[in-house]
């Protein structure tokens, strides 16, 4: 079953429910493995659980930033965001936030990997542990 909050669009939440009792089910994964007609959770999500947004809910602004050696250039993701996505062309702060922020970077921890530094790992400061497989 696919659930959306009221007035929510985009990807919903897939839940496994018993059709007769409407109580949470526990065996959907096993059934999908045994029954070719029963979809896996991921297949159901991508095939049946997307609700198109209305025009009023659409993204209007996006900030896309790419950087190399983020730690050397900006010191932190927060400073990068402040100096690019929420400032005007002269670097002055703006109050308006973008709807979506995309950050593309490499060598997040470049400065800490150099021989003259302590060598500690700042990667978890920038990227949550559960965001990468």
């Amino acid at each position: 079953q696919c659930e959306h909050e009221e007035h929510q669009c985009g990807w919903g939440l897939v839940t496994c429910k018993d059709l007769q009792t409407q109580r949470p089910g526990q065996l959907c994964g096993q059934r999908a493995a045994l029954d070719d007609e029963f979809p896996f959770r991921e297949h159901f999500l991508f095939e049946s659980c997307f609700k198109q947004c209305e025009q009023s809910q659409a993204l209007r602004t996006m900030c896309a930033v790419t950087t190399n050696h983020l730690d050397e250039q900006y010191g932190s993701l927060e400073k990068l965001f402040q100096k690019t996505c929420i400032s005007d062309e002269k670097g002055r702060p703006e109050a308006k936030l973008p709807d979506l922020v995309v950050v593309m970077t490499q060598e997040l921890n470049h400065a800490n990997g150099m021989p003259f530094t302590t060598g500690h790992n700042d990667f978890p400061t920038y990227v949550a542990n559960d965001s990468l497989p």
Side-chain angles (χ1 to χ4, degrees):
Q1 178 174 327
C2 182
E3 296 179 0
H4 284 89
E5 298 280 329
E6 188 176 347
H7 304 294
Q8 180 190 10
C9 60
W11 296 106
L13 175 68
V14 175
T15 57
C16 180
K17 287 193 176 182
D18 184 291
L19 287 178
Q20 295 171 343
T21 65
Q22 289 301 304
R23 293 173 51 191
Q26 305 297 324
L27 304 175
C28 289
Q30 290 89 334
R31 182 168 175 199
L34 298 172
D35 182 352
D36 291 339
E37 301 296 318
F38 195 84
F40 282 98
R41 181 190 174 282
E42 293 80 11
H43 295 149
F44 183 78
L45 173 69
F46 290 118
E47 293 174 5
S48 308
C49 205
F50 185 80
K51 181 178 172 186
Q52 187 171 350
C53 297
E54 295 178 20
Q55 186 67 30
S56 63
Q57 296 171 304
L59 295 176
R60 298 191 193 295
T61 58
M62 177 177 83
C63 175
V65 181
T66 182
T67 181
N68 191 18
H69 304 168
L70 182 141
D71 56 337
E72 289 180 344
Q73 292 178 330
Y74 294 96
S76 71
L77 193 55
E78 180 181 3
K79 286 181 184 173
L80 168 73
F81 182 67
Q82 289 172 347
K83 293 183 182 288
T84 56
C85 296
I86 56 173
S87 64
D88 65 15
E89 61 276 352
K90 294 186 179 181
R92 295 179 298 225
E94 286 183 321
K96 188 169 181 176
L97 298 174
D99 293 328
L100 176 67
V101 175
V102 178
V103 177
M104 298 160 281
T105 187
Q106 63 182 22
E107 298 187 69
L108 286 173
N109 213 36
H110 184 262
N112 285 326
M114 303 303 276
F116 54 85
T117 62
T118 59
H120 63 280
N121 182 8
D122 286 338
F123 192 78
T125 303
Y126 301 113
V127 180
N129 288 334
D130 61 354
S131 64
L132 298 173

